[in-house]
Amino acid sequence: MAWYDEAIFYHIYPLGLCGAPKQNPYGEPVHRLKELVLWIDHIKEIGCNALYIGPLFESVGHGYETTDYRKLDSRLGTNEDLREFTALCHEKGIRVIFDGVFNHTGRDFFAFQDLKKNRENSAYRDWFCHVNFNGNNEYNDGFSYENWGGYNLLVKLNQRNPEVIAYICDVIRFWVSEFDIDGIRLDAADVLDFDFMKALRSVAKEVKEDFWLMGEVIHGDYTRWVNEGTLHSVTNYHLYKALYSGHNDHNYFEIAHTIRRQFETGIQGNGIKLYNFADNHDVERIYTKLINKAHFAPVHILLYTLPGIPSVYYGSEFGIEGKKERYSDDSLRPALHLEEYRDAVKNNPCTALIAALGEIRQKTPALSWGDYAELCLTNRQYAFSRNWKGQDVIITVNNDDNDASLTVPARNQTYTGALSGEEVKAEDGRLSVNVRANFGEIWIPDSAGLEFEHTDVLPVPEEIPCSDSQSSEPLKQVPDKPYEEMSVEELQAAILQKMAVNGSVSDQMKRTVTENVWKDSLLNWVKSFR
């Protein structure tokens, strides 16, 4: 049994959370990472025991155009800051994994700079894919190369070059020796070379027992990446899509069939646990994505109880908004100030639920290790069990606006609702329960002998926003002129005006915009609205 099999992840995008500038001035380090020390107790308080944080290392802008794999981004601080942060996490019992951006580098990466300088004579010409000295690009390099996603800012590494493989493997060794990390999330794993990933798996076995490799994979057969030779886990985008659309469409069949298919094809089970999430730094916040905000509760009950490893993206435990636009992810990666959410576990129904689910998940081995069995399925109600060493935990959820009565197979014993504290006794091999509207319950057999602090958790109200307060200040007027001619302040006002078209603009949303003082970033953002 490895630590990650019982992990509950908290996901931080540090450049955003810390409010770092959008472009790296490569100046003196600014110790923003120290601000995250306050978040460690919060992560613990809501029941998470693992942290996925990144990207972290020196880069040009958003972090995925790496300049130096061995140096903390100067906008966040120094390597000493990062050592201290990971050590503090470990002291609190929180495992730490970094973002490994190994598919591509930035143009300021030393090997690419040498290629620009020495061209055909560069010792690093074969470190990158399809370098063509008869071509050119928008930077007027006098050569072209393969990039990632159509962006020449991201130069694709040649992962079949033994020197590149050796370099990246040494980077991983350095991260473990320098920062004592517990694993790596591989960015863009769906386009990584498979032999390259096998080399990374070999290093993982070398550097630390139970060192975890998890890959970002969106489409395809996940078993291609998750096996004994390559990765331990991948991002479960199949379930992510089913979680929000299964509620928006009142269609629990989509969620249940997704799980069923994953078991049938060997993606779940047999020691494989996928990385489950309701949102992350690349997709819209779940609170924004849901048509009925009250569905926040059943979505997260499922996230914490279905097979896999659950993860919460920073801020989503408060129910904050975040809408994805065409050319900007800024609204998905805001700066947050923890003191503004100091009493959220008591006062915010979203946070209270996440904290309760974290406690239940940690104390209930069946939710990490148990077999999965579907018990009841309709468009609006869904029940299943997780069975482990004779302990059968029953989960019921309801996406309807009315309470629902369910009767499901069960052992003849008493069950207690971990969220409500309600006791119900099964008779004649059947358990009959009431499931509250837009909510759910985790029924624990009394024979398990478990007790929970966070009981009497209430459903998330549909009409009461869980995000921070709505701004009462009127929005500034936007001048009628081309965006390119606007000042930073005018661009900020234009973005807020466009946000207001989609709904109320909260104080947190306003801060995210006004703290962005980079004109190029604001130009991309304002043009991204549909």
Side-chain angles (χ1 to χ4, degrees), residues 137-428:
N137 55 35
E138 69 269 32
Y139 298 101
N140 201 30
D141 291 325
F143 60 88
S144 60
Y145 48 84
E146 187 176 344
N147 61 40
W148 182 87
Y151 300 101
N152 276 321
L153 183 67
L154 306 174
V155 190
K156 187 169 175 60
L157 282 168
N158 178 7
Q159 298 151 31
R160 300 201 69 81
N161 184 328
E163 293 180 5
V164 172
I165 296 172
Y167 176 83
I168 296 299
C169 288
D170 280 344
V171 165
I172 295 174
R173 295 184 184 101
F174 174 80
W175 287 358
V176 175
S177 64
E178 192 77 1
F179 308 113
D180 192 27
I181 63 170
D182 303 290
I184 292 173
R185 175 264 192 189
L186 294 173
D187 180 63
D190 45 7
V191 293
L192 291 179
D193 180 82
F194 280 88
D195 287 336
F196 176 72
M197 285 186 282
K198 289 177 182 177
L200 301 188
R201 180 65 174 262
S202 178
V203 173
K205 294 176 182 177
E206 166 198 328
V207 295
K208 185 182 279 192
E209 185 179 3
D210 292 343
F211 192 82
W212 193 50
L213 293 180
M214 186 269 289
E216 178 196 25
V217 175
I218 299 176
H219 303 295
D221 177 1
Y222 292 156
T223 56
R224 294 182 61 209
W225 291 271
V226 183
N227 52 62
E228 286 300 316
T230 49
L231 308 181
H232 297 93
S233 183
V234 294
T235 50
N236 195 353
Y237 269 90
H238 297 167
L239 180 61
Y240 153 72
K241 190 270 177 185
L243 281 175
Y244 72 78
S245 63
H247 285 86
N248 284 345
D249 298 337
H250 290 286
N251 182 16
Y252 274 151
F253 284 94
E254 180 179 4
I255 298 173
H257 289 182
T258 297
I259 296 298
R260 193 181 303 166
R261 284 194 302 272
Q262 291 185 342
F263 272 95
E264 289 172 351
T265 56
I267 295 173
Q268 294 271 30
N270 300 318
I272 296 176
K273 292 185 175 71
L274 299 184
Y275 181 87
N276 296 341
F277 59 97
D279 50 15
N280 62 30
H281 65 302
D282 287 325
V283 300
E284 289 186 337
R285 295 277 179 175
I286 186 62
Y287 196 73
T288 298
K289 200 78 173 174
L290 292 172
I291 295 171
N292 181 348
K293 307 306 182 187
H295 286 159
F296 182 96
V299 163
H300 284 87
I301 292 170
L302 290 172
L303 177 68
Y304 274 74
T305 58
L306 284 169
I309 301 167
S311 174
V312 174
Y313 181 45
Y314 84 93
S316 285
E317 72 272 27
F318 307 130
I320 70 171
E321 301 271 6
K323 187 172 179 60
K324 187 174 180 66
E325 304 298 346
R326 285 178 293 178
Y327 308 117
S328 173
D329 289 327
D330 286 356
S331 63
L332 308 178
R333 307 167 179 182
L336 297 182
H337 306 283
L338 188 58
E339 64 271 14
E340 297 179 11
Y341 301 94
R342 186 180 296 112
D343 298 319
V345 171
K346 297 179 181 177
N347 301 329
N348 185 320
C350 296
T351 320
L353 174 68
I354 296 300
L357 291 171
E359 180 194 7
I360 295 165
R361 174 89 183 196
Q362 285 200 31
K363 291 183 175 179
T364 312
L367 297 179
S368 294
W369 299 99
D371 294 336
Y372 166 86
E374 187 180 299
L375 303 180
C376 176
L377 179 61
T378 70
N379 281 325
R380 295 174 184 248
Q381 288 82 40
Y382 176 27
F384 56 91
S385 64
R386 303 294 307 277
N387 303 291
W388 175 250
K389 293 184 176 180
Q391 180 189 122
D392 58 328
V393 175
I394 296 173
I395 297 89
T396 55
V397 286
N398 177 18
N399 67 48
D400 195 78
D401 290 335
N402 300 298
D403 288 7
S405 297
L406 291 183
T407 299
V408 297
R411 298 172 189 260
N412 289 331
Q413 56 183 314
T414 300
Y415 291 78
T416 299
L419 293 172
S420 65
E422 179 185 358
E423 290 190 0
V424 181
K425 186 173 183 179
E427 297 179 353
D428 299 325

